[in-house]
Amino acid sequence: MRTQAYVTQDDNLIGTLTVRETIGYSALLRLPDKMPRDDKRALVEGTIVEMGLQDCADTVIGNWHLRGVSGGEKRRVSIALELLMRPRLLVLDEPTSGLDSSSAFFVTQTLRGLARDGRTVIASIHQPSSEVFELFDMLFLLSGGKNVYFGQAAQACEFFAEVGFPCPPLRNPSDHFLRCVNSDFDKVKATLKGSMKARIERSDDPLDKITTSEAIRKLVSAYNRSQYYYAAREKVNDIARIKGTVMDSRGSQASFLMQACTLTRRSFINMSRDFGYYWLRLLIYLLVTVCIGTIYLDVGTKYTSILARAACAAFVFGFVTFMSIGGFPSFVEEMKVFQRERLNGHYGVAAFVIANTISALPFLVLICFMSGTVCYFMVRLHPGFTHYIFFVLNLYASVTVVESLMMAIASVIPNFLMGIIIGAGIQGIFMLVSGYFRLPYDIPKIFWRYPMQYISFHYWALQGQCQNDMDGLLFDNQYPDQPKIPGDFILKYIFQINVHRSKWIDLSVIFSMIFIYRLLFFIMIKVNEDVMPWIRGYIARKRLQKKVPAIGKTPSLRGYVVDPELGPNEG
């Protein structure tokens, strides 16, 4: 059992999973390994029934191409995920936001049922209807960090009436409380006063005669002297005197191996069901490689084939791998799910990184094997099984490096448009120093050659593929009566490639980059979790220190109310 759980305002869920699968995988990620599978399944089914999700238990959550559950059902799934561990305290950030009136009422009624079951439920609420407001037991009103009211929700109207701000008969109480404590309404009154079409007429509403700041001061002062304040203080003191047991605050009780295996299986299912994750990219890769194959069809060993082979390699390992950034929107959605689950301690960062790497492996192998095979045999690159395997492995390593780089970017930049722009910019720079657009020895040594060329995977991929394709071949000379040109001569003197370095070393460098980028992905997540909150807190404290103190007294509006019997300039 957990101490507390937090339900975010946004329902960040995996859209390809059903409701039962979503809750079931969450149970495997957090419940103890020693707990029998039947007990876990029974707990999942009990949670589904408790949240009223029986009718949609086998319906997918839904995403951009899959029609799924409704907004209210999706919100209840988010609550069910945290309810699974039976927390004593459940905190929700605007659980009715974005829902229609009936869905909002059902969700709130469900939360009321949880509270009646012995749990403490705390929720910030967004403009509730009168029916939804009546379901709450306690009300806590804040304005500018000041406590305006804390007590029984049913007694709030009585308190406001005692202070001099009674709720009008036909007004929603929550709307009336908001009107009393939200200073933005002063701007509305000022706008109406300056308009020739509308006037602030005298009425029985006391809020028309004073500013909201003045009303807030009266409410805060009255509350600090009221019975509600002393009752709340007494309750807090009683709770503080109780010596309770120290509860375990850990989020997950599952082992690291169980977390990694469950995340791998869940991620694999998501990738296989989401058409836009890898299947669409597979079709695009096949289409592009067929185009490459028809352009460079049976390229041969003529003199003009020298440049054609190099251009083909540069396009495959430059622009074809560049298309891997197309998966960035899916990475961002996956990171949103991770951040929500990580917030409540569902699993560790290492388990997520390992699972993401393993689950993507078969799809990337399939994409690179199919598209690489089409390209290799249509172009008729250097024949031989070893050369074919190297080409496919080189393509796989290059695509995986781009995937790893984009995942590292997604960990710190949640906006997919900005992420794609940054990822495309980084890849563009790497392609520029790959050794094709300008020969390696001609690239300026400072910065561009050292270190940019050596941290560019395009450079190592192109160097290895040129060796793999041209070394051992004989090409026709520009003039027919001249002897044929060996491939190693072309590599060394035309493309400035180090023929003494094995192509397998080039390939191993790219695979090492995969590990480095995945490690960077892990570090970025940890920094974003541990360092960024401290930095944001430090900046917030500095801003508060520089904040100009508020003016002590706010002028009243009594002298500015227009008498309907007199003109605006009379009286």
Side-chain angles (χ1 to χ4, degrees):
M1 180 181 290
R2 288 196 62 198
T3 307
Q4 75 284 331
Y6 174 63
V7 180
T8 59
Q9 181 179 354
D10 299 324
D11 297 315
N12 295 318
L13 304 169
I14 299 177
T16 56
L17 300 180
T18 65
V19 172
R20 181 175 279 110
E21 287 174 338
T22 300
I23 302 175
Y25 281 123
S26 183
L28 293 175
L29 285 170
R30 293 187 285 171
L31 294 175
D33 295 355
K34 60 184 179 181
M35 186 176 180
R37 282 293 185 99
D38 292 338
D39 292 347
K40 292 181 181 179
R41 194 175 297 111
L43 183 61
V44 170
E45 294 300 324
T47 304
I48 290 174
V49 172
E50 190 173 7
M51 294 304 300
L53 296 168
Q54 307 96 307
D55 295 338
C56 61
D58 295 314
T59 305
V60 295
I61 300 297
N63 57 13
W64 65 277
H65 70 95
L66 292 174
R67 184 176 180 180
V69 298
S70 66
E73 291 168 338
K74 190 178 294 185
R75 187 61 50 85
R76 279 182 277 152
V77 172
S78 298
I79 299 172
L81 291 175
E82 303 310 325
L83 188 65
L84 188 66
M85 298 298 289
R86 299 299 184 259
R88 296 289 183 86
L89 174 64
L90 184 62
V91 183
L92 305 100
D93 182 13
E94 297 191 8
T96 61
S97 179
L99 302 181
D100 57 65
S101 57
S102 60
S103 297
F105 180 80
F106 194 91
V107 168
T108 310
Q109 195 174 45
T110 304
L111 294 175
R112 182 182 176 89
L114 297 178
R116 294 294 179 268
D117 196 30
R119 299 180 184 88
T120 301
V121 180
I122 301 176
S124 61
I125 195 71
H126 176 71
Q127 201 171 3
S129 63
S130 56
E131 291 82 4
V132 170
F133 180 76
E134 289 175 357
L135 295 175
F136 284 89
D137 299 316
M138 305 292 291
L139 176 65
F140 186 30
L141 284 175
L142 285 172
S143 180
K146 297 178 181 178
N147 191 353
V148 176
Y149 176 80
F150 180 47
Q152 294 289 330
Q155 298 176 357
C157 288
E158 180 181 347
F159 167 73
F160 275 75
E162 291 174 355
V163 182
F165 303 103
C167 179
L170 300 179
R171 182 178 295 178
N172 184 347
S174 62
D175 292 339
H176 176 67
F177 302 150
L178 180 65
R179 170 68 181 83
C180 292
V181 301
N182 190 344
S183 58
D184 290 340
F185 284 98
D186 286 346
K187 301 175 184 177
V188 177
K189 287 194 291 188
T191 303
L192 292 174
K193 180 178 178 298
S195 173
M196 297 299 295
K197 297 181 179 180
R199 294 180 176 181
I200 303 178
E201 297 183 354
R202 182 170 296 167
S203 66
D204 295 334
D205 191 350
L207 290 171
D208 288 340
K209 300 178 177 64
I210 61 173
T211 62
T212 305
S213 299
E214 196 173 349
I216 293 172
R217 279 199 301 271
K218 290 183 64 176
L219 288 166
V220 171
S221 177
Y223 174 76
N224 290 334
R225 302 190 307 269
S226 69
Q227 58 178 343
Y228 309 102
Y229 172 77
Y230 292 107
R233 285 282 301 272
E234 187 66 26
K235 186 66 174 178
V236 170
N237 293 333
D238 292 342
I239 295 174
R241 284 192 291 266
I242 298 174
K243 300 295 183 182
T245 57
V246 179
M247 300 186 66
D248 187 6
S249 61
R250 291 184 305 162
S252 174
Q253 300 176 34
S255 65
F256 175 82
L257 182 61
M258 174 60 76
Q259 291 178 356
C261 292
T262 303
L263 285 172
T264 301
R265 186 163 65 250
R266 188 182 74 171
S267 182
F268 181 83
I269 292 175
N270 177 40
M271 293 173 182
S272 62
R273 293 179 182 175
D274 191 341
F275 178 73
Y277 213 121
Y278 284 114
W279 300 119
L280 181 60
R281 291 161 62 188
L282 173 61
L283 295 177
I284 299 299
Y285 266 75
L286 288 174
L287 177 63
V288 172
T289 49
V290 167
C291 295
I292 295 172
T294 54
I295 292 291
Y296 296 98
L297 185 65
D298 193 9
V299 68
T301 56
K302 300 187 295 293
Y303 179 77
T304 55
S305 300
I306 298 173
L307 182 59
R309 286 176 180 267
C312 179
F315 187 87
V316 170
F317 294 98
F319 292 100
V320 173
T321 56
F322 185 87
M323 294 190 302
S324 292
I325 67 174
F328 187 78
S330 300
F331 301 157
V332 170
E333 293 302 316
E334 191 171 357
M335 285 302 302
K336 289 180 180 178
V337 175
F338 163 76
Q339 289 167 355
R340 176 187 61 79
E341 295 177 332
R342 180 63 181 156
L343 190 66
N344 285 292
H346 289 199
Y347 45 80
V349 179
F352 172 72
V353 174
I354 292 173
N356 179 269
T357 304
I358 296 175
S359 59
L361 178 64
F363 296 99
L364 294 177
V365 168
L366 179 65
I367 289 174
C368 296
F369 174 77
M370 294 184 67
S371 58
T373 301
V374 170
C375 180
Y376 182 87
F377 287 103
M378 288 188 70
V379 180
R380 293 194 181 182
L381 298 174
H382 196 137
F385 181 74
T386 305
H387 296 278
Y388 164 71
I389 288 297
F390 181 89
F391 177 77
V392 173
L393 287 176
N394 199 7
L395 181 59
Y396 165 76
S398 301
V399 170
T400 308
V401 164
V402 178
E403 292 258 324
S404 304
L405 172 63
M406 297 308 293
M407 286 299 291
I409 294 174
S411 64
V412 293
I413 302 176
N415 183 279
F416 73 88
L417 181 60
M418 290 298 298
I420 288 177
I421 293 173
I422 293 174
I426 294 174
Q427 286 220 78
I429 295 173
F430 284 171
M431 281 192 290
L432 191 62
V433 296
S434 63
Y436 175 76
F437 299 98
R438 192 169 191 192
L439 296 176
Y441 297 156
D442 298 334
I443 293 177
K445 292 184 178 181
I446 298 178
F447 183 71
W448 291 113
R449 189 173 179 188
Y450 308 106
M452 288 304 299
Q453 189 176 64
Y454 288 91
I455 65 175
S456 167
F457 79 91
H458 296 85
Y459 168 75
W460 299 98
L462 191 59
Q463 293 261 315
Q465 174 53 26
C466 286
Q467 283 195 66
N468 180 63
D469 186 39
M470 296 186 184
D471 192 14
L473 295 180
L474 292 174
F475 293 88
D476 295 338
N477 205 305
Q478 186 176 8
Y479 303 101
D481 56 338
Q482 296 294 322
K484 290 183 177 294
I485 307 173
D488 58 347
F489 178 86
I490 295 172
L491 293 172
K492 185 175 182 179
Y493 295 103
I494 297 181
F495 295 122
Q496 298 179 1
I497 294 175
N498 184 2
V499 296
H500 302 294
R501 186 179 65 232
S502 172
K503 63 183 180 182
W504 298 103
I505 294 179
D506 296 332
L507 184 61
S508 64
V509 171
I510 304 177
F511 273 101
S512 67
M513 288 183 176
I514 297 175
F515 174 78
I516 292 172
Y517 279 126
R518 290 286 169 171
L519 181 62
L520 181 63
F521 178 39
F522 174 83
I523 294 173
M524 288 290 193
I525 294 176
K526 297 299 289 184
V527 168
N528 201 33
E529 282 186 353
D530 302 333
V531 179
M532 292 306 296
W534 182 87
I535 294 176
R536 286 193 289 265
Y538 177 79
I539 294 174
R541 288 191 296 270
K542 287 295 183 181
R543 287 178 177 175
L544 285 174
Q545 291 175 1
K546 296 179 180 179
K547 190 175 180 180
V548 179
I551 298 175
K553 184 174 177 59
T554 305
S556 174
L557 291 179
R558 290 189 181 94
Y560 299 94
V561 177
V562 179
D563 193 325
E565 298 178 357
L566 299 175
N569 297 322
E570 299 178 11

